[in-house]
Amino acid sequence: MLKDVSGKEIYRWVVRTANQTRDRNVSDKGDTPTGKYKIGQNGTVWYGPDGNTTSYGPQARLFLTPVSGEIVETRRDFIRMHGGRQGEDDYIFEPDEPLQYTQGCIRAFDADMVKVKELTEELEKSNPLE
């Protein structure tokens, strides 16, 4: 879920954090560690699509910083939230199909990534503390 600086919930959506390697201590291709994440280190950091729309979807990827919980304990980094890999066929956009397994990041539906990006940009414009 996305919350503002006061803790008010702004948006909630479905993500996938599970990989076929169910060990969250594995730094690459393991489940995403649980815990609280902050968006970016100094404000929101989005990485634009790099042409790999199969893996990352057509939307930007969101950089996440560990704050507390398992993510801090495992000392994993480079956690991103991104779209891509919806459905059985990586090369065909299937919006009604489930999200495929991750490789350590947080996977979301492409439409949700658009909404999250719009909402975070609105929050930052409307409040300098965001």
Side-chain angles (χ1 to χ4, degrees):
M1 73 182 80
L2 176 66
K3 294 182 178 184
D4 66 13
V5 292
S6 69
K8 177 184 172 191
E9 183 177 321
I10 304 298
Y11 188 64
R12 182 183 290 244
W13 66 103
V14 174
V15 298
R16 181 149 203 175
T17 61
N19 190 336
Q20 294 171 344
T21 304
R22 300 309 310 263
D23 184 352
R24 292 190 292 263
N25 289 310
V26 175
S27 64
D28 185 33
K29 300 182 182 176
D31 281 2
T32 309
T34 60
K36 186 183 264 188
Y37 293 82
K38 187 174 183 178
I39 295 176
Q41 294 172 332
N42 298 309
T44 307
V45 181
W46 290 90
Y47 294 98
D50 61 3
N52 189 350
T53 57
T54 300
S55 292
Y56 300 119
Q59 277 47 272
R61 290 176 279 165
L62 181 61
F63 179 90
L64 298 172
T65 303
V67 174
S68 64
E70 204 174 57
I71 181 60
V72 172
E73 295 162 15
T74 61
R75 299 194 317 194
R76 290 201 28 205
D77 56 5
F78 298 113
I79 301 293
R80 309 288 184 266
M81 184 184 314
H82 58 80
R85 294 191 181 174
Q86 292 176 204
E88 296 298 320
D89 187 335
D90 285 353
Y91 300 99
I92 298 174
F93 179 68
E94 302 167 284
D96 297 327
E97 294 292 321
L99 296 167
Q100 291 185 17
Y101 288 106
T102 74
Q103 293 188 1
C105 286
I106 299 171
R107 191 176 308 285
F109 287 105
D110 291 328
D112 285 320
M113 291 306 299
V114 171
K115 184 71 173 174
V116 171
K117 187 169 193 307
E118 290 170 352
L119 289 170
T120 56
E121 287 174 346
E122 285 176 26
L123 284 170
E124 289 175 337
K125 284 179 189 173
S126 65
N127 184 348
L129 298 176
E130 290 288 351

